[in-house]
mmCIF file of all heavy atoms in Angstrom:
data_model
loop_
_atom_site.group_PDB
_atom_site.id
_atom_site.type_symbol
_atom_site.label_atom_id
_atom_site.label_comp_id
_atom_site.label_asym_id
_atom_site.label_seq_id
_atom_site.Cartn_x
_atom_site.Cartn_y
_atom_site.Cartn_z
ATOM 1 N N ALA A 1357 0.816 -1.240 -0.007
ATOM 2 C CA ALA A 1357 -0.016 0.041 -0.012
ATOM 3 C C ALA A 1357 0.872 1.229 -0.026
ATOM 4 O O ALA A 1357 0.485 2.233 -0.613
ATOM 5 C CB ALA A 1357 -0.906 0.020 1.234
ATOM 6 N N GLN A 1358 1.990 1.214 0.699
ATOM 7 C CA GLN A 1358 2.822 2.379 0.836
ATOM 8 C C GLN A 1358 4.188 1.998 1.445
ATOM 9 O O GLN A 1358 4.251 1.099 2.196
ATOM 10 C CB GLN A 1358 2.130 3.358 1.760
ATOM 11 C CG GLN A 1358 2.917 4.686 2.012
ATOM 12 C CD GLN A 1358 2.161 5.561 2.971
ATOM 13 O OE1 GLN A 1358 1.126 6.040 2.656
ATOM 14 N NE2 GLN A 1358 2.735 5.801 4.150
ATOM 15 N N ALA A 1359 5.215 2.641 0.995
ATOM 16 C CA ALA A 1359 6.562 2.465 1.494
ATOM 17 C C ALA A 1359 6.812 3.519 2.557
ATOM 18 O O ALA A 1359 6.336 4.660 2.423
ATOM 19 C CB ALA A 1359 7.589 2.552 0.405
ATOM 20 N N ALA A 1360 7.480 3.098 3.588
ATOM 21 C CA ALA A 1360 7.721 4.000 4.702
ATOM 22 C C ALA A 1360 9.250 4.403 4.743
ATOM 23 O O ALA A 1360 10.072 3.494 4.732
ATOM 24 C CB ALA A 1360 7.393 3.387 6.092
ATOM 25 N N LEU A 1361 9.548 5.685 4.603
ATOM 26 C CA LEU A 1361 10.929 6.150 4.602
ATOM 27 C C LEU A 1361 11.296 6.733 5.984
ATOM 28 O O LEU A 1361 10.424 7.164 6.748
ATOM 29 C CB LEU A 1361 11.096 7.214 3.564
ATOM 30 C CG LEU A 1361 10.878 6.835 2.121
ATOM 31 C CD1 LEU A 1361 11.250 7.978 1.200
ATOM 32 C CD2 LEU A 1361 11.743 5.571 1.764
ATOM 33 N N SER A 1362 12.576 6.736 6.297
ATOM 34 C CA SER A 1362 13.025 7.331 7.508
ATOM 35 C C SER A 1362 12.854 8.880 7.467
ATOM 36 O O SER A 1362 12.642 9.491 6.350
ATOM 37 C CB SER A 1362 14.482 7.056 7.706
ATOM 38 O OG SER A 1362 15.265 7.497 6.633
ATOM 39 N N ASP A 1363 12.898 9.598 8.620
ATOM 40 C CA ASP A 1363 12.648 10.957 8.606
ATOM 41 C C ASP A 1363 13.627 11.739 7.806
ATOM 42 O O ASP A 1363 13.342 12.819 7.234
ATOM 43 C CB ASP A 1363 12.717 11.496 10.089
ATOM 44 C CG ASP A 1363 11.481 11.018 10.905
ATOM 45 O OD1 ASP A 1363 10.486 10.675 10.365
ATOM 46 O OD2 ASP A 1363 11.647 10.905 12.145
ATOM 47 N N ASP A 1364 14.900 11.250 7.758
ATOM 48 C CA ASP A 1364 15.940 11.955 6.921
ATOM 49 C C ASP A 1364 15.925 11.514 5.448
ATOM 50 O O ASP A 1364 16.781 11.987 4.696
ATOM 51 C CB ASP A 1364 17.330 11.736 7.478
ATOM 52 C CG ASP A 1364 17.718 10.224 7.561
ATOM 53 O OD1 ASP A 1364 16.940 9.387 7.058
ATOM 54 O OD2 ASP A 1364 18.807 9.944 8.038
ATOM 55 N N LEU A 1365 14.963 10.666 5.080
ATOM 56 C CA LEU A 1365 14.785 10.261 3.672
ATOM 57 C C LEU A 1365 16.003 9.441 3.177
ATOM 58 O O LEU A 1365 16.212 9.394 1.962
ATOM 59 C CB LEU A 1365 14.485 11.390 2.739
ATOM 60 C CG LEU A 1365 13.326 12.294 3.140
ATOM 61 C CD1 LEU A 1365 13.118 13.400 2.158
ATOM 62 C CD2 LEU A 1365 12.035 11.470 3.308
ATOM 63 N N ARG A 1366 16.747 8.820 4.055
ATOM 64 C CA ARG A 1366 17.940 8.121 3.606
ATOM 65 C C ARG A 1366 17.737 6.618 3.441
ATOM 66 O O ARG A 1366 18.551 6.012 2.763
ATOM 67 C CB ARG A 1366 19.096 8.318 4.676
ATOM 68 C CG ARG A 1366 19.620 9.763 4.689
ATOM 69 C CD ARG A 1366 20.404 10.061 3.459
ATOM 70 N NE ARG A 1366 20.801 11.446 3.409
ATOM 71 C CZ ARG A 1366 21.568 11.965 2.416
ATOM 72 N NH1 ARG A 1366 21.875 11.173 1.359
ATOM 73 N NH2 ARG A 1366 21.892 13.244 2.408
ATOM 74 N N ARG A 1367 16.667 6.090 3.925
ATOM 75 C CA ARG A 1367 16.492 4.643 3.874
ATOM 76 C C ARG A 1367 14.969 4.332 3.906
ATOM 77 O O ARG A 1367 14.144 5.155 4.324
ATOM 78 C CB ARG A 1367 17.166 3.896 4.973
ATOM 79 C CG ARG A 1367 16.634 4.206 6.381
ATOM 80 C CD ARG A 1367 17.407 3.573 7.470
ATOM 81 N NE ARG A 1367 16.827 3.790 8.805
ATOM 82 C CZ ARG A 1367 16.943 4.957 9.486
ATOM 83 N NH1 ARG A 1367 17.633 5.932 8.984
ATOM 84 N NH2 ARG A 1367 16.376 5.071 10.643
ATOM 85 N N MET A 1368 14.626 3.133 3.414
ATOM 86 C CA MET A 1368 13.282 2.675 3.509
ATOM 87 C C MET A 1368 13.106 1.801 4.776
ATOM 88 O O MET A 1368 13.841 0.766 4.948
ATOM 89 C CB MET A 1368 12.946 1.831 2.318
ATOM 90 C CG MET A 1368 11.449 1.433 2.192
ATOM 91 S SD MET A 1368 11.105 0.438 0.749
ATOM 92 C CE MET A 1368 11.777 -1.145 1.222
ATOM 93 N N ASP A 1369 12.308 2.262 5.687
ATOM 94 C CA ASP A 1369 12.134 1.551 6.958
ATOM 95 C C ASP A 1369 11.311 0.319 6.881
ATOM 96 O O ASP A 1369 11.390 -0.657 7.649
ATOM 97 C CB ASP A 1369 11.514 2.460 8.034
ATOM 98 C CG ASP A 1369 12.542 3.510 8.477
ATOM 99 O OD1 ASP A 1369 13.758 3.290 8.320
ATOM 100 O OD2 ASP A 1369 12.071 4.551 9.035
ATOM 101 N N GLY A 1370 10.408 0.175 5.891
ATOM 102 C CA GLY A 1370 9.562 -0.925 5.660
ATOM 103 C C GLY A 1370 8.453 -0.615 4.661
ATOM 104 O O GLY A 1370 8.419 0.387 3.981
ATOM 105 N N LEU A 1371 7.463 -1.535 4.686
ATOM 106 C CA LEU A 1371 6.383 -1.459 3.757
ATOM 107 C C LEU A 1371 5.019 -1.585 4.519
ATOM 108 O O LEU A 1371 4.919 -2.433 5.422
ATOM 109 C CB LEU A 1371 6.451 -2.520 2.681
ATOM 110 C CG LEU A 1371 7.563 -2.466 1.696
ATOM 111 C CD1 LEU A 1371 7.590 -3.649 0.798
ATOM 112 C CD2 LEU A 1371 7.521 -1.154 0.861
ATOM 113 N N TRP A 1372 4.070 -0.810 4.122
ATOM 114 C CA TRP A 1372 2.696 -0.993 4.597
ATOM 115 C C TRP A 1372 1.933 -1.918 3.606
ATOM 116 O O TRP A 1372 2.009 -1.641 2.418
ATOM 117 C CB TRP A 1372 1.974 0.336 4.719
ATOM 118 C CG TRP A 1372 2.434 1.241 5.872
ATOM 119 C CD1 TRP A 1372 3.323 2.259 5.805
ATOM 120 C CD2 TRP A 1372 2.046 1.066 7.253
ATOM 121 N NE1 TRP A 1372 3.511 2.705 7.079
ATOM 122 C CE2 TRP A 1372 2.801 2.063 7.948
ATOM 123 C CE3 TRP A 1372 1.207 0.211 7.933
ATOM 124 C CZ2 TRP A 1372 2.617 2.214 9.366
ATOM 125 C CZ3 TRP A 1372 1.037 0.413 9.293
ATOM 126 C CH2 TRP A 1372 1.752 1.372 9.993
ATOM 127 N N VAL A 1373 1.390 -2.967 4.185
ATOM 128 C CA VAL A 1373 0.765 -3.951 3.311
ATOM 129 C C VAL A 1373 -0.787 -3.984 3.560
ATOM 130 O O VAL A 1373 -1.286 -3.997 4.706
ATOM 131 C CB VAL A 1373 1.321 -5.341 3.590
ATOM 132 C CG1 VAL A 1373 0.586 -6.371 2.785
ATOM 133 C CG2 VAL A 1373 2.790 -5.388 3.354
ATOM 134 N N ASP A 1374 -1.535 -3.883 2.456
ATOM 135 C CA ASP A 1374 -3.001 -3.973 2.523
ATOM 136 C C ASP A 1374 -3.352 -5.423 2.546
ATOM 137 O O ASP A 1374 -3.219 -6.069 1.485
ATOM 138 C CB ASP A 1374 -3.615 -3.182 1.413
ATOM 139 C CG ASP A 1374 -5.160 -3.235 1.461
ATOM 140 O OD1 ASP A 1374 -5.762 -3.878 2.392
ATOM 141 O OD2 ASP A 1374 -5.752 -2.665 0.522
ATOM 142 N N ALA A 1375 -3.799 -5.958 3.637
ATOM 143 C CA ALA A 1375 -4.142 -7.395 3.754
ATOM 144 C C ALA A 1375 -5.581 -7.673 3.558
ATOM 145 O O ALA A 1375 -6.080 -8.711 4.020
ATOM 146 C CB ALA A 1375 -3.615 -7.961 5.086
ATOM 147 N N GLY A 1376 -6.355 -6.679 2.982
ATOM 148 C CA GLY A 1376 -7.779 -6.931 2.778
ATOM 149 C C GLY A 1376 -8.518 -6.918 4.078
ATOM 150 O O GLY A 1376 -8.446 -5.978 4.895
ATOM 151 N N LEU A 1377 -9.306 -7.998 4.326
ATOM 152 C CA LEU A 1377 -10.128 -8.073 5.549
ATOM 153 C C LEU A 1377 -9.219 -8.136 6.768
ATOM 154 O O LEU A 1377 -9.649 -7.896 7.883
ATOM 155 C CB LEU A 1377 -11.022 -9.276 5.484
ATOM 156 C CG LEU A 1377 -12.137 -9.247 4.376
ATOM 157 C CD1 LEU A 1377 -12.893 -10.545 4.391
ATOM 158 C CD2 LEU A 1377 -13.052 -8.022 4.605
ATOM 159 N N GLY A 1378 -7.946 -8.570 6.530
ATOM 160 C CA GLY A 1378 -7.005 -8.607 7.653
ATOM 161 C C GLY A 1378 -6.498 -7.294 8.099
ATOM 162 O O GLY A 1378 -5.697 -7.208 9.021
ATOM 163 N N GLY A 1379 -6.912 -6.205 7.372
ATOM 164 C CA GLY A 1379 -6.402 -4.905 7.740
ATOM 165 C C GLY A 1379 -5.068 -4.587 7.225
ATOM 166 O O GLY A 1379 -4.543 -5.291 6.324
ATOM 167 N N ALA A 1380 -4.515 -3.500 7.728
ATOM 168 C CA ALA A 1380 -3.142 -3.120 7.282
ATOM 169 C C ALA A 1380 -2.102 -3.779 8.119
ATOM 170 O O ALA A 1380 -2.270 -3.908 9.384
ATOM 171 C CB ALA A 1380 -2.992 -1.565 7.292
ATOM 172 N N ARG A 1381 -0.985 -4.082 7.583
ATOM 173 C CA ARG A 1381 0.246 -4.647 8.279
ATOM 174 C C ARG A 1381 1.402 -3.924 7.923
ATOM 175 O O ARG A 1381 1.566 -3.451 6.805
ATOM 176 C CB ARG A 1381 0.353 -6.126 7.983
ATOM 177 C CG ARG A 1381 -0.746 -7.065 8.522
ATOM 178 C CD ARG A 1381 -0.496 -8.472 8.054
ATOM 179 N NE ARG A 1381 -1.525 -9.406 8.666
ATOM 180 C CZ ARG A 1381 -1.358 -9.961 9.860
ATOM 181 N NH1 ARG A 1381 -0.248 -9.745 10.576
ATOM 182 N NH2 ARG A 1381 -2.288 -10.777 10.341
ATOM 183 N N PHE A 1382 2.315 -3.766 8.920
ATOM 184 C CA PHE A 1382 3.604 -3.085 8.630
ATOM 185 C C PHE A 1382 4.721 -4.114 8.648
ATOM 186 O O PHE A 1382 4.879 -4.819 9.638
ATOM 187 C CB PHE A 1382 3.894 -2.013 9.660
ATOM 188 C CG PHE A 1382 5.199 -1.314 9.402
ATOM 189 C CD1 PHE A 1382 5.292 -0.373 8.313
ATOM 190 C CD2 PHE A 1382 6.351 -1.496 10.194
ATOM 191 C CE1 PHE A 1382 6.511 0.305 8.105
ATOM 192 C CE2 PHE A 1382 7.516 -0.909 9.956
ATOM 193 C CZ PHE A 1382 7.605 -0.006 8.897
ATOM 194 N N VAL A 1383 5.408 -4.203 7.550
ATOM 195 C CA VAL A 1383 6.522 -5.217 7.398
ATOM 196 C C VAL A 1383 7.851 -4.350 7.482
ATOM 197 O O VAL A 1383 8.106 -3.617 6.499
ATOM 198 C CB VAL A 1383 6.471 -5.921 6.088
ATOM 199 C CG1 VAL A 1383 7.673 -6.939 6.030
ATOM 200 C CG2 VAL A 1383 5.138 -6.777 6.033
ATOM 201 N N PRO A 1384 8.663 -4.478 8.494
ATOM 202 C CA PRO A 1384 9.936 -3.740 8.514
ATOM 203 C C PRO A 1384 10.927 -4.229 7.509
ATOM 204 O O PRO A 1384 10.794 -5.352 6.965
ATOM 205 C CB PRO A 1384 10.412 -4.059 10.011
ATOM 206 C CG PRO A 1384 9.816 -5.347 10.321
ATOM 207 C CD PRO A 1384 8.473 -5.351 9.702
ATOM 208 N N SER A 1385 11.881 -3.353 7.147
ATOM 209 C CA SER A 1385 12.779 -3.736 6.100
ATOM 210 C C SER A 1385 13.615 -4.993 6.432
ATOM 211 O O SER A 1385 14.073 -5.726 5.506
ATOM 212 C CB SER A 1385 13.736 -2.547 5.788
ATOM 213 O OG SER A 1385 14.450 -2.176 6.977
ATOM 214 N N GLU A 1386 13.785 -5.235 7.745
ATOM 215 C CA GLU A 1386 14.534 -6.423 8.139
ATOM 216 C C GLU A 1386 13.830 -7.700 7.719
ATOM 217 O O GLU A 1386 14.515 -8.753 7.578
ATOM 218 C CB GLU A 1386 14.785 -6.451 9.657
ATOM 219 C CG GLU A 1386 15.687 -5.318 10.230
ATOM 220 C CD GLU A 1386 14.942 -3.980 10.286
ATOM 221 O OE1 GLU A 1386 13.732 -3.979 10.103
ATOM 222 O OE2 GLU A 1386 15.622 -2.959 10.579
ATOM 223 N N ALA A 1387 12.523 -7.635 7.523
ATOM 224 C CA ALA A 1387 11.776 -8.869 7.159
ATOM 225 C C ALA A 1387 11.547 -9.017 5.663
ATOM 226 O O ALA A 1387 11.053 -9.980 5.214
ATOM 227 C CB ALA A 1387 10.465 -8.844 7.856
ATOM 228 N N ILE A 1388 12.101 -8.017 4.852
ATOM 229 C CA ILE A 1388 11.943 -8.079 3.489
ATOM 230 C C ILE A 1388 13.099 -8.779 2.822
ATOM 231 O O ILE A 1388 14.235 -8.462 3.073
ATOM 232 C CB ILE A 1388 11.866 -6.645 2.817
ATOM 233 C CG1 ILE A 1388 10.685 -5.855 3.461
ATOM 234 C CG2 ILE A 1388 11.718 -6.683 1.304
ATOM 235 C CD1 ILE A 1388 10.632 -4.343 2.991
ATOM 236 N N GLU A 1389 12.749 -9.845 2.072
ATOM 237 C CA GLU A 1389 13.763 -10.638 1.412
ATOM 238 C C GLU A 1389 14.091 -10.204 0.017
ATOM 239 O O GLU A 1389 15.329 -10.066 -0.308
ATOM 240 C CB GLU A 1389 13.363 -12.116 1.456
ATOM 241 C CG GLU A 1389 13.266 -12.787 2.798
ATOM 242 C CD GLU A 1389 12.903 -14.219 2.774
ATOM 243 O OE1 GLU A 1389 12.303 -14.607 1.698
ATOM 244 O OE2 GLU A 1389 13.215 -14.973 3.659
ATOM 245 N N VAL A 1390 13.106 -9.964 -0.818
ATOM 246 C CA VAL A 1390 13.345 -9.592 -2.148
ATOM 247 C C VAL A 1390 12.303 -8.517 -2.624
ATOM 248 O O VAL A 1390 11.152 -8.726 -2.408
ATOM 249 C CB VAL A 1390 13.185 -10.861 -3.098
ATOM 250 C CG1 VAL A 1390 13.376 -10.372 -4.575
ATOM 251 C CG2 VAL A 1390 14.156 -11.892 -2.782
ATOM 252 N N LEU A 1391 12.842 -7.477 -3.220
ATOM 253 C CA LEU A 1391 11.987 -6.476 -3.898
ATOM 254 C C LEU A 1391 12.021 -6.817 -5.346
ATOM 255 O O LEU A 1391 12.938 -6.336 -6.084
ATOM 256 C CB LEU A 1391 12.480 -5.017 -3.616
ATOM 257 C CG LEU A 1391 12.362 -4.418 -2.199
ATOM 258 C CD1 LEU A 1391 12.947 -3.085 -2.190
ATOM 259 C CD2 LEU A 1391 10.891 -4.423 -1.788
ATOM 260 N N GLY A 1392 11.150 -7.686 -5.792
ATOM 261 C CA GLY A 1392 11.162 -8.162 -7.189
ATOM 262 C C GLY A 1392 10.400 -7.259 -8.125
ATOM 263 O O GLY A 1392 9.862 -6.270 -7.740
ATOM 264 N N ALA A 1393 10.444 -7.669 -9.382
ATOM 265 C CA ALA A 1393 9.792 -6.947 -10.422
ATOM 266 C C ALA A 1393 8.239 -7.112 -10.434
ATOM 267 O O ALA A 1393 7.522 -6.213 -10.724
ATOM 268 C CB ALA A 1393 10.299 -7.351 -11.812
ATOM 269 N N VAL A 1394 7.800 -8.247 -9.942
ATOM 270 C CA VAL A 1394 6.376 -8.568 -9.946
ATOM 271 C C VAL A 1394 5.845 -8.867 -8.600
ATOM 272 O O VAL A 1394 4.627 -8.969 -8.394
ATOM 273 C CB VAL A 1394 6.086 -9.735 -10.886
ATOM 274 C CG1 VAL A 1394 6.401 -9.367 -12.335
ATOM 275 C CG2 VAL A 1394 6.833 -10.961 -10.559
ATOM 276 N N SER A 1395 6.718 -9.015 -7.542
ATOM 277 C CA SER A 1395 6.202 -9.262 -6.184
ATOM 278 C C SER A 1395 7.286 -8.875 -5.164
ATOM 279 O O SER A 1395 8.480 -8.721 -5.566
ATOM 280 C CB SER A 1395 5.772 -10.737 -6.046
ATOM 281 O OG SER A 1395 6.981 -11.552 -6.156
ATOM 282 N N VAL A 1396 6.887 -8.880 -3.902
ATOM 283 C CA VAL A 1396 7.770 -8.620 -2.801
ATOM 284 C C VAL A 1396 7.760 -9.882 -1.940
ATOM 285 O O VAL A 1396 6.635 -10.335 -1.552
ATOM 286 C CB VAL A 1396 7.391 -7.343 -1.997
ATOM 287 C CG1 VAL A 1396 8.263 -7.234 -0.788
ATOM 288 C CG2 VAL A 1396 7.523 -6.149 -2.882
ATOM 289 N N THR A 1397 8.866 -10.419 -1.594
ATOM 290 C CA THR A 1397 8.980 -11.638 -0.787
ATOM 291 C C THR A 1397 9.428 -11.214 0.625
ATOM 292 O O THR A 1397 10.396 -10.513 0.748
ATOM 293 C CB THR A 1397 9.928 -12.652 -1.332
ATOM 294 O OG1 THR A 1397 9.489 -12.946 -2.689
ATOM 295 C CG2 THR A 1397 9.907 -13.930 -0.518
ATOM 296 N N VAL A 1398 8.688 -11.610 1.646
ATOM 297 C CA VAL A 1398 9.027 -11.358 3.060
ATOM 298 C C VAL A 1398 9.121 -12.636 3.846
ATOM 299 O O VAL A 1398 8.544 -13.671 3.424
ATOM 300 C CB VAL A 1398 8.034 -10.374 3.676
ATOM 301 C CG1 VAL A 1398 7.943 -9.063 2.886
ATOM 302 C CG2 VAL A 1398 6.609 -11.007 3.672
ATOM 303 N N ASP A 1399 9.844 -12.581 4.955
ATOM 304 C CA ASP A 1399 9.909 -13.784 5.789
ATOM 305 C C ASP A 1399 9.025 -13.686 7.007
ATOM 306 O O ASP A 1399 8.969 -14.652 7.833
ATOM 307 C CB ASP A 1399 11.418 -14.002 6.215
ATOM 308 C CG ASP A 1399 11.979 -12.906 7.048
ATOM 309 O OD1 ASP A 1399 11.176 -11.990 7.545
ATOM 310 O OD2 ASP A 1399 13.161 -12.832 7.205
ATOM 311 N N ALA A 1400 8.199 -12.598 7.100
ATOM 312 C CA ALA A 1400 7.211 -12.484 8.172
ATOM 313 C C ALA A 1400 6.144 -11.573 7.614
ATOM 314 O O ALA A 1400 6.419 -10.602 6.964
ATOM 315 C CB ALA A 1400 7.853 -11.858 9.389
ATOM 316 N N PRO A 1401 4.831 -11.855 7.982
ATOM 317 C CA PRO A 1401 3.740 -11.098 7.421
ATOM 318 C C PRO A 1401 3.576 -9.724 8.056
ATOM 319 O O PRO A 1401 2.803 -8.925 7.585
ATOM 320 C CB PRO A 1401 2.495 -11.921 7.790
ATOM 321 C CG PRO A 1401 2.949 -12.718 9.005
ATOM 322 C CD PRO A 1401 4.412 -12.985 8.859
ATOM 323 N N GLY A 1402 4.373 -9.423 9.136
ATOM 324 C CA GLY A 1402 4.256 -8.142 9.717
ATOM 325 C C GLY A 1402 3.152 -8.018 10.761
ATOM 326 O O GLY A 1402 2.350 -8.892 10.888
#
């Protein structure tokens, strides 16, 4: 749904994920494995 940047705009802190009926989830950058061309792979749902 949205990428979250640090206050100094130097790094991406994580991603906001729209999980539908499950609501919104925040996945920190530490849990992001791959920023791919067609999908994002994470090791935790946030």
Side-chain angles (χ1 to χ4, degrees):
Q1358 178 181 298
L1361 298 184
S1362 59
D1363 292 336
D1364 60 2
L1365 305 181
R1366 290 289 174 182
R1367 66 185 183 280
M1368 187 179 75
D1369 286 340
L1371 296 172
W1372 288 99
V1373 178
D1374 181 0
L1377 296 178
R1381 291 178 175 271
F1382 181 73
V1383 180
S1385 58
E1386 294 80 7
I1388 301 174
E1389 294 182 337
V1390 179
L1391 290 178
V1394 296
S1395 66
V1396 175
T1397 304
V1398 300
D1399 61 15

